Amino acid sequence: MVASVAVGLVLLVAGAAKLRQAGWPATAAAFGAPRWLAVVIPWAEVTVGALLVSGAGLPWTALAAAALLASFTAAVAVRLRLGQAVPCGCFGETSPRPVGVATLVRNLVLLGACTGAVLTGTRPGGPASVALGAAGAAAFLVATRARAGTR
C-alpha cells in the first residue's frame, strides 16, 4: 500500500501543478505531444493519483499509473537520445530545467513502485487517504507559489 500511496501522491502533485501552469501546453508540445494530449495528461495524473492514494481499483489503478509512467519515461528517453534539452515540466513551473538522466531514474523508480503495487495487489486505504493526498498536493502548490512570489 505504501508504494501505491507514494506514487499516487507524486501523480497528484504533478497533475495539479500542470493544471496551475499556463505554459504547460507549450512544454508538452516541446515533447511532441499533440494539443489534446496536453489537456488530458494533468487530468489523468490527478485521477489516477487520487485512485492510487485511496487504494480504489488496485491493482488496476497501479497498472494504469505504470502505463502513464512508462509513456513519460519513453518520451524522456527519446529526448535524451536525440540530445534535445526540453524543459521537464513534470511538476509544472517548479521543474523548468531540461530533462536529464535524473528524470529518467526518478521515473524508473516510480515505475518500479507501480510494478510492486500491481504484483502485490494491496487493499484500499479509504477516503481519508484521498483527503491526505489532496492536502499534500495543495500544500505543495501553495509552497511552490509562495517560493515563486505569486499567490
Side-chain angles (χ1 to χ4, degrees):
M1 184 70 185
V2 172
S4 60
V5 170
V7 173
L9 287 172
V10 169
L11 288 174
L12 274 170
V13 168
K18 286 178 184 96
L19 289 171
R20 296 268 324 218
Q21 179 187 6
W24 161 246
T27 301
F31 269 92
R35 189 166 191 71
W36 68 267
L37 189 57
V39 172
V40 170
I41 287 173
W43 290 107
E45 288 177 323
V46 168
T47 302
V48 172
L51 290 170
L52 277 176
V53 169
S54 72
L58 286 172
W60 300 107
T61 50
L63 190 60
L68 268 174
L69 288 164
S71 64
F72 298 158
T73 303
V76 169
V78 166
R79 295 302 167 240
L80 289 175
R81 177 80 173 130
L82 295 173
Q84 297 175 342
V86 295
C88 177
C90 302
F91 296 95
E93 58 198 17
T94 65
S95 52
R97 289 186 296 221
V99 293
V101 174
T103 311
L104 197 62
V105 170
R106 181 195 61 222
N107 284 4
L108 290 172
V109 168
L110 291 169
L111 190 53
C114 285
T115 303
V118 168
L119 296 176
T120 60
T122 55
R123 69 182 206 289
S129 294
V130 173
L132 178 61
F140 176 83
L141 289 174
V142 167
T144 300
R145 302 304 281 183
R147 189 175 34 217
T150 58
R151 292 182 189 250

